[in-house]
Amino acid sequence: MPAISSKTLNKFRPRMLVVDDEPGMIDLFRDLVAKAVNCQPVFASNLSDARAVMAQQGVDLVVADVNLPDGDGTSLLEELNRRHPLAAAVMMSGDPSVDRTISAMRGGAMDFLPKPFSPDQMAERIRKALLAHRLKRIQETRFRKLKETCKKLNEARRTISKKVDLLCNDLITAYGELSRSLETVRLQEGYGQFIAKANGLEQLLCHTMDWLLRQVGYCNIGIWLASAEHELQLGAFMKYTIAAEPPLMEAMQKNLLKLTMRRGFVRLGAADLKATLTPGELKYLAEQDILAINCTYLGESLAVMAMFRDHHTPFSNDDVAALKTMSPLFALSLARAVKMNEGEGPDEPPDGNPPPTNENKQKKKDPADWWKNGETPPF
């Protein structure tokens, strides 16, 4: 170990408790050792006084004789470790032995000095003990600061983690909204292209039902057109399992379709039917899953569309989204088709020639008319 000077300890004045019942030893520590080491000496002549000092004051070093009037000085080591765990201890004895030395070291003493000794010898031992104490204090301070830093880092990590979680949730929400928006655009674009070639009201209804079947799967579909008096008349019906029987159509016009016009949208599972439908409707629609929507244009009801099939294959949320997405486009197209029908007149060829007869006209087959012709579905 390198030479230890008193400069190392001058930055602070440690408190040294000297426990000895010999007046000469007390004078030695007070007049020579304490000044050489630059520390604050506190004295006790027995175990009882030493314990009182340790209980009332801070202690950095204890120098104690093994043989004291009221007991063994090494018994102070346990209390010193409990009250001042960073403090150092040096034991001394005029009757040293290997057993006592070993016992003192095991109890936590840093050194064991036999009497008699010179002031320089004791001063050097005390410097070493106080330096070790100082290093322990520095290490403890660093460890405490490290713990505080780790605590702050953990708090910062938790804060950042929460912010990252919130950011991820926001990103997921934004992605979900974007995905739904893109799906809406895709459905609108797909439906718009599908009905673009529809010529007239009948083909518009056929193309619309065809598109819906491709989106939601096989089901019964009916489209009722509204008159100026808001009365509904069946415009088209596509049978899957249930035919458009007059009693069913009449019952639906009195209840379900009017309910749909009031609410805008109706979704009924098998458990909701009894509380919503009339006995006339339940006769045909019991254990069905039903979707119905009011198709409006500029706030006016133009049509009501209803779909139903067995509740064992219920409509999904994607099916609902598809129906709600195409409904305003269908209403717009329906308004245009009605307006064209109201304004149409006899065809006048631009060259003044008479229109072609039925014999030389070729009627183009519409693929959306497969259901009217009893053909196999093209999808």
Side-chain angles (χ1 to χ4, degrees):
M1 180 179 291
I4 302 172
S5 66
S6 60
K7 292 182 179 180
T8 308
L9 305 174
N10 282 339
K11 294 181 180 180
F12 73 103
R13 294 194 66 204
R15 183 176 286 107
M16 176 179 63
L17 172 60
V18 179
V19 187
D20 200 307
D21 60 334
E22 298 180 20
M25 293 299 297
I26 298 298
D27 293 338
L28 175 68
F29 278 94
R30 178 185 293 112
D31 299 334
L32 299 176
V33 176
K35 293 179 179 179
V37 180
N38 189 29
C39 62
Q40 305 176 56
V42 180
F43 301 99
S45 58
N46 52 53
L47 295 176
S48 178
D49 292 344
R51 291 191 176 98
V53 172
M54 285 191 292
Q56 297 172 5
Q57 302 180 33
V59 175
D60 300 305
L61 172 65
V62 170
V63 181
D65 195 349
V66 172
N67 300 310
L68 294 172
D70 51 352
D72 190 340
T74 57
S75 63
L76 294 173
L77 295 175
E78 181 178 356
E79 187 164 356
L80 179 66
N81 291 332
R82 180 172 59 85
R83 290 186 178 276
H84 309 286
L86 298 181
V90 175
M91 304 305 297
M92 54 186 178
S93 174
D95 185 20
S97 66
V98 174
D99 292 340
R100 280 187 171 182
T101 302
I102 293 174
S103 177
M105 294 299 183
R106 287 178 175 175
M110 295 189 62
D111 206 345
F112 194 101
L113 189 62
K115 294 179 179 180
F117 47 78
S118 68
D120 292 338
Q121 289 177 322
M122 176 55 74
E124 183 64 19
R125 300 294 181 91
I126 289 176
R127 288 194 189 97
K128 291 180 180 180
L130 288 176
L131 180 60
H133 164 70
R134 178 61 176 169
L135 292 176
K136 285 177 67 176
R137 285 185 59 183
I138 292 174
Q139 291 175 352
E140 178 66 19
T141 301
R142 289 176 178 174
F143 181 69
R144 185 178 65 254
K145 291 181 178 179
L146 180 61
K147 285 179 64 177
E148 293 175 354
T149 302
C150 290
K151 182 179 179 181
K152 292 179 180 179
L153 287 175
N154 285 332
E155 293 175 353
R157 179 186 59 80
R158 285 192 292 269
T159 301
I160 293 173
S161 178
K162 290 180 180 179
K163 291 183 178 179
V164 169
D165 289 342
L166 291 174
L167 178 60
C168 289
N169 290 335
D170 291 342
L171 288 175
I172 291 173
T173 301
Y175 176 80
E177 293 175 353
L178 177 61
S179 178
R180 287 189 292 271
S181 298
L182 291 176
E183 179 64 13
T184 299
V185 172
R186 184 191 70 81
L187 290 172
Q188 290 175 341
E189 186 69 19
Y191 175 70
Q193 292 178 359
F194 202 84
I195 64 172
K197 297 181 180 180
N199 185 15
L201 178 59
E202 182 179 6
Q203 285 194 7
L204 173 62
L205 301 181
C206 294
H207 282 68
T208 297
M209 291 190 294
D210 197 354
W211 184 86
L212 280 171
L213 286 181
R214 295 170 189 266
Q215 295 297 319
V216 307
Y218 290 115
C219 62
N220 307 284
I221 304 179
I223 301 177
W224 286 260
L225 303 178
S227 65
E229 294 78 17
H230 299 291
E231 294 295 330
L232 294 171
Q233 297 294 330
L234 183 62
F237 189 91
M238 187 178 294
K239 173 188 174 183
Y240 172 50
T241 56
I242 299 176
E245 299 289 345
L248 172 60
M249 299 296 101
E250 183 180 351
M252 291 179 65
Q253 290 178 18
K254 290 181 178 180
N255 180 48
L256 178 60
L257 302 183
K258 290 185 177 180
L259 177 65
T260 304
M261 293 181 72
R262 292 195 302 270
R263 294 185 180 179
F265 177 77
V266 172
R267 184 177 187 179
L268 300 176
D272 308 316
L273 299 180
K274 290 184 179 180
T276 307
L277 301 184
T278 63
E281 292 170 309
L282 289 173
K283 181 179 179 181
Y284 298 91
L285 301 180
E287 298 185 350
Q288 295 287 303
D289 197 64
I290 301 175
L291 293 181
I293 192 166
N294 185 23
C295 305
T296 62
Y297 175 69
L298 299 179
E300 182 180 357
S301 297
L302 298 185
V304 173
M305 191 178 303
M307 305 187 301
F308 47 92
R309 65 187 176 201
D310 189 271
H311 72 283
H312 291 297
T313 55
F315 295 105
S316 67
N317 291 333
D318 290 338
D319 298 336
V320 173
L323 181 62
K324 289 184 175 180
T325 298
M326 59 78 58
S327 172
L329 296 180
F330 169 70
L332 176 60
S333 301
L334 183 59
R336 290 174 177 172
V338 171
K339 184 176 181 180
M340 289 175 62
N341 286 342
E342 291 175 350
E344 67 181 3
D347 293 335
E348 295 292 341
D351 55 3
N353 295 324
T357 62
N358 291 335
E359 287 76 15
N360 56 21
K361 272 189 179 179
Q362 284 191 345
K363 186 176 181 180
K364 189 176 180 181
K365 185 177 179 180
D366 189 347
D369 289 341
W370 60 267
W371 63 283
K372 294 194 301 181
N373 302 325
E375 300 173 0
T376 303
F379 52 87

